[in-house]
Amino acid sequence: MKIKKAVITAAGERQRALPLQTLVDRDGEEKPVLGILVEQALEAEIDEVCVIVHPGDESRYAQAVSRHLSRVRFLRQSQPRGYGHAVWCAREAVGNDPFLHLVGDHLAVSSGDGGCARRLTKLAEAKSAPYRPCA
């Protein structure tokens, strides 16, 4: 099983501004949290990143990931129905493929090479049983 897709949930009513906050990354460069998350996913050999957003936030979020915009897709969570619903909103983009899930207001910090997202996908690929989509 190869994980090639990622979903970042970032539509939470009280957390929508957090992915846009600027931090200093491990290379000493200022970047929005969402930009750091997308880069972590891409470093984990993810081909496509789907970001779940509140309607109207697409343009601000697109600016935050401008370097990688061609590999990012924004999907709206039209009604605030909760966290599980946000993940469910990615169902068409993900299909029956396994995916990496990242949370838009959380960063995982790693002192080792490759970052947490890469280590997580490699572990899942190495330890998982053959992937069988839900029927």
Side-chain angles (χ1 to χ4, degrees), residues 73-92:
R73 178 177 178 183
F74 297 99
L75 296 175
R76 296 177 179 178
Q77 183 183 17
S78 57
Q79 297 178 347
R81 293 185 178 172
Y83 188 74
H85 180 259
V87 175
W88 183 79
C89 289
R91 70 195 179 283
E92 290 180 20

Side-chain angles (χ1 to χ4, degrees), residues 112-134:
D113 289 337
C116 294
R118 183 173 176 86
R119 285 201 257 162
L120 183 59
T121 57
K122 294 302 174 198
L123 179 65
E125 291 168 0
K127 301 289 182 181
S128 69
Y131 179 73
R132 292 186 184 99
C134 297

Side-chain angles (χ1 to χ4, degrees), residues 22-32 35-36 39-40 43 67 107:
T22 301
L23 300 177
V24 177
D25 74 358
R26 65 180 173 235
D27 299 322
E29 189 176 339
E30 286 189 14
K31 295 179 186 172
I36 294 170
E39 286 181 1
Q40 287 179 356
E43 289 170 3
R67 292 181 184 175
L107 287 173

Side-chain angles (χ1 to χ4, degrees), residues 96-107:
N96 287 326
D97 298 328
F99 62 94
L100 171 67
H101 176 219
L102 299 170
V103 182
D105 60 351
H106 288 72
L107 287 173

Side-chain angles (χ1 to χ4, degrees), residues 47-58:
D47 290 335
E48 181 182 355
V49 179
C50 175
V51 182
I52 308 301
V53 299
H54 183 272
D57 284 347
E58 296 90 345

